[in-house]
Amino acid sequence: MSFFGFDPSIPPHLQQGSGAPGTNESYDFQETYDGLGEEVDAFNEETFGDNKQETWNDPSAQNHAPVLKQNISYAQAASSTNNDDDFMNDLWGTSGAKDGAAQEVQQQQQQQQQQQQQAPQEKKFLSLEEIEAQLTAIDQQSQQQQHPVHPPPQFGYPGMMPPQFAYGMIPPAGYMPAPGQYGQFMGAPMPMPQMPPMGYQPQLQQQQQPVPQQQPVSQQQQQQQPPVQQQQPLQEAQPVVPQNAPQNAGVRRTSKVDSAQFPVLGAKGQSGQLHQQQFSGAQESAAPSSSPKNGGLPSPSSQPSFHSPQQRNHNNQNFHDLTPEQQAKLARRQEKVARIMKYSGIMNPRDKDYVTRFQLSQIVTEDPYNEDFYAQVFKVIHPKANSTHLQEHSQQHNSIAQAYLEQSGHRLGGRFKRADVALQRMQQQVQKAVTVAKERPKLTQYAREGALGKISFGNGKKPRQQLEIFSQAAQREIEKQEQLEKEAAVEASIAKGESDEAKPSDAQEDKSEFTKESTPVSKRPLSISAPSPSTSSTSKSYSKKDVMSILENIITKVMNLESASRLNPQDVDTKELWESLHILDQPSTSASTISEGEVNPFIQCLNHNKALKILPRLFKFLSREQILTIVTLIMSNLENLYVIKKGSYTTYPDKIVPLPILKLIETYTLTFSKVLMNSVQDFKFNEIIGLLVILIGHNNVSFVSTTKIGLSILTTLLSRAELIKGEGVNISATDLSEWSSCYDELFTSLESRISAIFPPNPQDIDDGSSRENYVWQFLATLSLGGKLSHQRIIVDEVRDEIFGVMNRAKSIDNSDIANLYKKQNLLNNLNMYLVVMGLVADESEIKELQS
Amino acid sequence: MSLQTESQSQEPLDLIRFQLDETVLVKLRGAREMKGKLQGYDSHCNMVISEAEEYIYEVNGNSEPVVKKTEMVFVRGDSVILISPIN
């Protein structure tokens, strides 16, 4: 049996008569290979752009001219004077472009035709046999010319590649070609006259002239042999140019002559020729037969193979005619072509579809902001100039397809620049992938779910687990959750049934809840018991793991909210987030009685960098009341914060705060202080007083004031209060009296310890390089709020520091340009405080401010 | 008393998740350890660690380990033996 429709069991010589009318066809490269290639791989081209064509571009361009010349008989080629030069030029591109060469060839052909028309009359000395031979050749040629126009093999056989094979299913074994079969394909004689190897022509030319009947080596040679042989008598008789004409021109004439009678074709013992006939037979039947016979098999048989042993052999021979460099170059090129071609045609279009969709399914996501966050951000940062919001949906697919094409190395366009087709094709693929991704069963849709644990589904980001088994605790948790939900649902339905007129929306309920929660603070700012420890008897201790878990949960919730708000900015439910904060869980204070683990978990979270980093994003989602509640909690817990507890130089024997804490302080100034400053803008006067009172009541103010963060918190609150007071709007007399008593309380707790707020090594915290100095800022604010008596006390206490700064400023030499700015900064920072009292200092003296 | 606050977080890898942005000690095959801030990880325990210090111990020698510092490093999960928080 045969895959190609020819029977190898029949002796080759018997086949030739019936089997191969195409023995002496001469192929035009463009007609032959290109045509076949497109038939075979039409879908490939559509899917991936014209990459195949492009791959071929290189060798084909080089071969173009020589191939065309094959249309002229070899004899002509051989006798033409400039043929060799031309060939070399064409091959190596040293001179005339291939267009020029082609034109030349065309001219030659025309010439030939004219000559041929005259030939019968002029050349009477042609024997009848010879003429017959010519005509036979013509006939066969004309038959052959129809040959490349096969109906394209169909690839969409029903059942060959059912669509449901996509996504993780292995196609049935029958679908893939068995290795043996495939080997057979590869080993089998294949039609490969379409693409003569390079350097083929010169060999022929050189061989033909001295030994025209030499046994052909390559298939191509064999195929071209008959015409050559036909020409042989002519060549002898008339060894000048016109002799070649009949062959080529004859191609277009017709006369029915049995090819078997043709002497050369019929000649026995020319095994090469016989062989060639087989090839032709095979070729004839290969392409058409592939559809019915091979069924679902990909048919590599119809793909040209370019590294047959014969060809190599041939090329080797050819090497001798070239210079070593040319040989090397040729070898490289052939090696390249062989490498490219080695696996060409292994996959059929369906395979490619399958792989493409498989790859695309990894890219496609319904939730780009979570699964593909950085790409989305990148898109925002680098918006494409042509992107419009109108076609956003299609744009998305488009961009995926585009990205895929770019990333997977399929160059768009190719010779025919059919980028749009490829892109369209890819968009279809993407759409398919999206559809299938959506159809994938969701976790809850599975019948067996629960019987053997959870049945899991993989996705691109997370490979599939065979079985997901919950820990019992988690299982119980889930059950409890479900129970609660059910109850809630029942209650809700009851409530709905009872009171239809009420209908309080969830959001409203939430709000009222929050206001209720925060009213104790806002309404009674002076009562120090905002978070009262008495209310909860259950004093829990949080392990580090618990805190981390809470913190991670907060971060997750924030990110979820962020992604939700991107989709629907109006309707964001922050209830879960608020609950995850555990603000009201553990109303601890900075009392020394509680252990570290019993501190409110949110406060514990604030000891971690990541909590601080998320703060600005977190606060965005919180209402004013919620923020006020959080700030109140923090004020009452200041000393539980690492940054305060460990941030004071006084706790260290060498009076130096260690590096990790310094880093933490730095982070606080960058995050927490800013967030607090923003929040405080929204607070009312009495709320700020309340916060200060809580701070004073729950913390050791003189200790807090020795820390940078503590001091800056105080500064923030005080300065805001001063600002509101300065505006003088909506401030009742009671507020004012509360404020002054609050200030007195604060001052009392600081009095006689004010100089301690300066770290022992002032140059550590302010060598003048910074434009800000939190200590002077604080003193300025404190003085601003105080009466003259307060200011006098402050000046008395910090007099040494004032002079210290002045001395340091003085010590920086005026000629030291590089450090001059430090001097200025030092004085500016100092003056920020002094100006409050109407003073100004330079490096040597303090004067009254001249306004 | 420990507290199971989150119903959803019951994966072993959560222990790593909790250490995100924290300093961790990663013990690696080939007598190596890596200390640094955990920037990211995945289900294969591939990790990105910043401010990393790699300690390469000599297998039999008692000499001090070689220390290499890297600003940011990717640790492939297949060489990870354990991950532990440092504090």
mmCIF file of all heavy atoms in Angstrom, chain A residues 20 84 107 132 138 154 157 163 238 247 259 283 289 293 297 324 356 381 391 474-475 527 549 576 738 761:
data_model
loop_
_atom_site.group_PDB
_atom_site.id
_atom_site.type_symbol
_atom_site.label_atom_id
_atom_site.label_comp_id
_atom_site.label_asym_id
_atom_site.label_seq_id
_atom_site.Cartn_x
_atom_site.Cartn_y
_atom_site.Cartn_z
ATOM 1 N N ALA A 20 3.608 8.776 -14.739
ATOM 2 C CA ALA A 20 4.264 10.059 -14.617
ATOM 3 C C ALA A 20 4.298 10.842 -15.893
ATOM 4 O O ALA A 20 5.221 10.746 -16.686
ATOM 5 C CB ALA A 20 5.689 9.841 -14.135
ATOM 6 N N ASP A 84 27.158 32.154 -16.832
ATOM 7 C CA ASP A 84 27.856 31.905 -15.570
ATOM 8 C C ASP A 84 27.943 33.167 -14.726
ATOM 9 O O ASP A 84 27.657 33.168 -13.541
ATOM 10 C CB ASP A 84 29.260 31.390 -15.852
ATOM 11 C CG ASP A 84 29.289 29.896 -15.714
ATOM 12 O OD1 ASP A 84 28.207 29.316 -15.434
ATOM 13 O OD2 ASP A 84 30.365 29.307 -15.872
ATOM 14 N N GLN A 107 13.192 38.080 -21.657
ATOM 15 C CA GLN A 107 13.592 38.439 -23.014
ATOM 16 C C GLN A 107 14.088 37.232 -23.759
ATOM 17 O O GLN A 107 13.724 36.982 -24.897
ATOM 18 C CB GLN A 107 14.694 39.506 -22.959
ATOM 19 C CG GLN A 107 14.128 40.882 -22.633
ATOM 20 C CD GLN A 107 15.222 41.870 -22.365
ATOM 21 O OE1 GLN A 107 16.404 41.513 -22.339
ATOM 22 N NE2 GLN A 107 14.846 43.123 -22.169
ATOM 23 N N GLU A 132 9.163 14.762 -32.841
ATOM 24 C CA GLU A 132 8.182 14.075 -32.001
ATOM 25 C C GLU A 132 8.515 14.265 -30.534
ATOM 26 O O GLU A 132 7.664 14.560 -29.704
ATOM 27 C CB GLU A 132 8.191 12.586 -32.330
ATOM 28 C CG GLU A 132 6.861 12.105 -32.829
ATOM 29 C CD GLU A 132 6.923 10.643 -33.189
ATOM 30 O OE1 GLU A 132 7.758 9.931 -32.582
ATOM 31 O OE2 GLU A 132 6.164 10.229 -34.032
ATOM 32 N N ILE A 138 6.238 18.958 -25.118
ATOM 33 C CA ILE A 138 5.265 20.044 -25.052
ATOM 34 C C ILE A 138 3.994 19.557 -24.392
ATOM 35 O O ILE A 138 3.452 20.180 -23.473
ATOM 36 C CB ILE A 138 4.950 20.549 -26.477
ATOM 37 C CG1 ILE A 138 6.166 21.271 -27.038
ATOM 38 C CG2 ILE A 138 3.749 21.473 -26.439
ATOM 39 C CD1 ILE A 138 6.136 21.327 -28.548
ATOM 40 N N GLN A 154 -8.072 19.954 2.295
ATOM 41 C CA GLN A 154 -8.927 20.505 3.349
ATOM 42 C C GLN A 154 -8.416 20.104 4.707
ATOM 43 O O GLN A 154 -7.985 18.992 4.899
ATOM 44 C CB GLN A 154 -10.350 19.985 3.167
ATOM 45 C CG GLN A 154 -10.962 20.517 1.898
ATOM 46 C CD GLN A 154 -12.358 20.030 1.732
ATOM 47 O OE1 GLN A 154 -12.793 19.171 2.492
ATOM 48 N NE2 GLN A 154 -13.039 20.566 0.753
ATOM 49 N N TYR A 157 -11.385 18.716 8.472
ATOM 50 C CA TYR A 157 -12.145 17.469 8.445
ATOM 51 C C TYR A 157 -12.975 17.371 9.685
ATOM 52 O O TYR A 157 -12.506 17.639 10.774
ATOM 53 C CB TYR A 157 -11.220 16.266 8.405
ATOM 54 C CG TYR A 157 -10.152 16.424 7.402
ATOM 55 C CD1 TYR A 157 -8.818 16.387 7.786
ATOM 56 C CD2 TYR A 157 -10.447 16.652 6.088
ATOM 57 C CE1 TYR A 157 -7.821 16.552 6.874
ATOM 58 C CE2 TYR A 157 -9.448 16.834 5.163
ATOM 59 C CZ TYR A 157 -8.136 16.785 5.559
ATOM 60 O OH TYR A 157 -7.147 16.970 4.658
ATOM 61 N N PRO A 163 -13.370 20.750 18.614
ATOM 62 C CA PRO A 163 -13.034 21.944 19.378
ATOM 63 C C PRO A 163 -12.854 21.660 20.857
ATOM 64 O O PRO A 163 -12.102 22.341 21.517
ATOM 65 C CB PRO A 163 -14.241 22.869 19.155
ATOM 66 C CG PRO A 163 -15.132 22.186 18.203
ATOM 67 C CD PRO A 163 -14.605 20.855 17.868
ATOM 68 N N GLN A 238 23.521 21.708 -34.217
ATOM 69 C CA GLN A 238 23.585 23.166 -34.332
ATOM 70 C C GLN A 238 24.007 23.769 -33.006
ATOM 71 O O GLN A 238 23.188 24.201 -32.214
ATOM 72 C CB GLN A 238 22.200 23.696 -34.705
ATOM 73 C CG GLN A 238 22.300 24.840 -35.663
ATOM 74 C CD GLN A 238 20.925 25.381 -35.966
ATOM 75 O OE1 GLN A 238 19.980 25.141 -35.223
ATOM 76 N NE2 GLN A 238 20.797 26.092 -37.063
ATOM 77 N N GLN A 247 12.619 23.479 -27.374
ATOM 78 C CA GLN A 247 12.176 22.857 -26.128
ATOM 79 C C GLN A 247 11.245 23.772 -25.361
ATOM 80 O O GLN A 247 10.148 23.397 -24.971
ATOM 81 C CB GLN A 247 13.388 22.510 -25.271
ATOM 82 C CG GLN A 247 13.047 21.625 -24.098
ATOM 83 C CD GLN A 247 12.816 22.423 -22.834
ATOM 84 O OE1 GLN A 247 13.409 23.480 -22.680
ATOM 85 N NE2 GLN A 247 11.957 21.914 -21.984
ATOM 86 N N SER A 259 4.089 9.120 -24.120
ATOM 87 C CA SER A 259 5.382 9.408 -23.512
ATOM 88 C C SER A 259 6.262 8.167 -23.457
ATOM 89 O O SER A 259 7.472 8.244 -23.409
ATOM 90 C CB SER A 259 5.181 9.980 -22.121
ATOM 91 O OG SER A 259 4.572 9.017 -21.299
ATOM 92 N N GLN A 283 4.314 12.465 -6.364
ATOM 93 C CA GLN A 283 3.929 13.861 -6.242
ATOM 94 C C GLN A 283 2.521 14.080 -6.757
ATOM 95 O O GLN A 283 1.727 14.774 -6.163
ATOM 96 C CB GLN A 283 4.909 14.689 -7.065
ATOM 97 C CG GLN A 283 4.690 16.168 -6.894
ATOM 98 C CD GLN A 283 5.411 16.896 -7.974
ATOM 99 O OE1 GLN A 283 6.091 16.279 -8.790
ATOM 100 N NE2 GLN A 283 5.279 18.203 -7.979
ATOM 101 N N SER A 289 -4.529 13.111 -2.594
ATOM 102 C CA SER A 289 -4.905 11.935 -1.828
ATOM 103 C C SER A 289 -4.884 12.209 -0.337
ATOM 104 O O SER A 289 -5.461 11.482 0.437
ATOM 105 C CB SER A 289 -3.949 10.787 -2.123
ATOM 106 O OG SER A 289 -2.707 11.054 -1.513
ATOM 107 N N LYS A 293 -7.522 10.044 2.077
ATOM 108 C CA LYS A 293 -6.804 8.874 2.583
ATOM 109 C C LYS A 293 -6.253 9.082 3.973
ATOM 110 O O LYS A 293 -6.352 8.208 4.827
ATOM 111 C CB LYS A 293 -5.661 8.535 1.639
ATOM 112 C CG LYS A 293 -6.088 7.626 0.505
ATOM 113 C CD LYS A 293 -4.880 6.880 0.000
ATOM 114 C CE LYS A 293 -5.297 5.836 -1.019
ATOM 115 N NZ LYS A 293 -4.143 5.070 -1.471
ATOM 116 N N LEU A 297 -4.894 12.738 9.654
ATOM 117 C CA LEU A 297 -3.444 12.846 9.768
ATOM 118 C C LEU A 297 -2.947 14.145 9.176
ATOM 119 O O LEU A 297 -3.390 14.547 8.111
ATOM 120 C CB LEU A 297 -2.789 11.695 9.007
ATOM 121 C CG LEU A 297 -2.739 10.370 9.735
ATOM 122 C CD1 LEU A 297 -2.215 9.320 8.785
ATOM 123 C CD2 LEU A 297 -1.861 10.462 10.953
ATOM 124 N N PRO A 324 36.436 28.374 -1.792
ATOM 125 C CA PRO A 324 36.204 27.931 -0.409
ATOM 126 C C PRO A 324 35.262 28.847 0.341
ATOM 127 O O PRO A 324 34.394 28.380 1.091
ATOM 128 C CB PRO A 324 37.608 27.974 0.215
ATOM 129 C CG PRO A 324 38.540 27.821 -0.937
ATOM 130 C CD PRO A 324 37.856 28.430 -2.125
ATOM 131 N N THR A 356 -1.861 27.736 19.990
ATOM 132 C CA THR A 356 -2.065 29.181 20.151
ATOM 133 C C THR A 356 -3.105 29.461 21.212
ATOM 134 O O THR A 356 -2.926 30.303 22.091
ATOM 135 C CB THR A 356 -2.534 29.784 18.826
ATOM 136 O OG1 THR A 356 -1.645 29.391 17.808
ATOM 137 C CG2 THR A 356 -2.558 31.279 18.924
ATOM 138 N N ILE A 381 0.828 54.111 32.286
ATOM 139 C CA ILE A 381 1.990 54.998 32.236
ATOM 140 C C ILE A 381 2.416 55.267 30.797
ATOM 141 O O ILE A 381 2.793 56.361 30.444
ATOM 142 C CB ILE A 381 3.159 54.378 33.027
ATOM 143 C CG1 ILE A 381 2.743 54.238 34.488
ATOM 144 C CG2 ILE A 381 4.397 55.268 32.946
ATOM 145 C CD1 ILE A 381 3.741 53.485 35.316
ATOM 146 N N GLN A 391 -13.425 51.932 21.648
ATOM 147 C CA GLN A 391 -13.376 50.504 21.306
ATOM 148 C C GLN A 391 -12.622 49.732 22.364
ATOM 149 O O GLN A 391 -11.823 48.868 22.048
ATOM 150 C CB GLN A 391 -12.662 50.328 19.965
ATOM 151 C CG GLN A 391 -13.223 51.190 18.874
ATOM 152 C CD GLN A 391 -12.196 51.397 17.799
ATOM 153 O OE1 GLN A 391 -11.043 51.644 18.082
ATOM 154 N NE2 GLN A 391 -12.620 51.278 16.557
ATOM 155 N N ALA A 474 -10.562 25.033 59.272
ATOM 156 C CA ALA A 474 -11.077 25.865 58.201
ATOM 157 C C ALA A 474 -12.452 25.389 57.767
ATOM 158 O O ALA A 474 -13.352 26.187 57.482
ATOM 159 C CB ALA A 474 -10.123 25.831 57.017
ATOM 160 N N GLN A 475 -12.599 24.068 57.743
ATOM 161 C CA GLN A 475 -13.878 23.493 57.368
ATOM 162 C C GLN A 475 -14.974 23.993 58.313
ATOM 163 O O GLN A 475 -16.038 24.439 57.896
ATOM 164 C CB GLN A 475 -13.773 21.960 57.440
ATOM 165 C CG GLN A 475 -14.900 21.235 56.748
ATOM 166 C CD GLN A 475 -14.735 21.302 55.234
ATOM 167 O OE1 GLN A 475 -13.681 20.973 54.714
ATOM 168 N NE2 GLN A 475 -15.779 21.711 54.547
ATOM 169 N N SER A 527 -13.992 63.766 77.781
ATOM 170 C CA SER A 527 -13.971 62.548 78.592
ATOM 171 C C SER A 527 -12.824 61.666 78.127
ATOM 172 O O SER A 527 -12.681 61.359 76.961
ATOM 173 C CB SER A 527 -15.288 61.800 78.452
ATOM 174 O OG SER A 527 -15.367 61.265 77.151
ATOM 175 N N SER A 549 -1.311 38.003 60.324
ATOM 176 C CA SER A 549 -2.456 37.549 59.551
ATOM 177 C C SER A 549 -3.472 38.677 59.393
ATOM 178 O O SER A 549 -4.012 38.890 58.305
ATOM 179 C CB SER A 549 -3.056 36.330 60.253
ATOM 180 O OG SER A 549 -4.415 36.263 60.010
ATOM 181 N N GLU A 576 -16.406 45.462 55.219
ATOM 182 C CA GLU A 576 -15.483 44.358 55.500
ATOM 183 C C GLU A 576 -14.104 44.877 55.890
ATOM 184 O O GLU A 576 -13.476 44.375 56.806
ATOM 185 C CB GLU A 576 -15.334 43.480 54.257
ATOM 186 C CG GLU A 576 -16.168 42.231 54.291
ATOM 187 C CD GLU A 576 -15.815 41.341 53.120
ATOM 188 O OE1 GLU A 576 -14.629 40.974 53.005
ATOM 189 O OE2 GLU A 576 -16.723 41.036 52.332
ATOM 190 N N GLU A 738 -11.853 75.167 76.994
ATOM 191 C CA GLU A 738 -11.341 73.793 76.981
ATOM 192 C C GLU A 738 -9.924 73.758 76.409
ATOM 193 O O GLU A 738 -9.045 73.072 76.909
ATOM 194 C CB GLU A 738 -12.260 72.899 76.146
ATOM 195 C CG GLU A 738 -13.349 72.228 76.942
ATOM 196 C CD GLU A 738 -14.402 71.630 76.028
ATOM 197 O OE1 GLU A 738 -14.126 71.457 74.821
ATOM 198 O OE2 GLU A 738 -15.507 71.346 76.523
ATOM 199 N N ASN A 761 22.835 64.653 70.971
ATOM 200 C CA ASN A 761 23.765 65.065 69.916
ATOM 201 C C ASN A 761 22.993 65.746 68.799
ATOM 202 O O ASN A 761 22.537 65.091 67.864
ATOM 203 C CB ASN A 761 24.511 63.855 69.356
ATOM 204 C CG ASN A 761 25.170 63.066 70.456
ATOM 205 O OD1 ASN A 761 25.892 63.622 71.277
ATOM 206 N ND2 ASN A 761 24.880 61.775 70.494
#
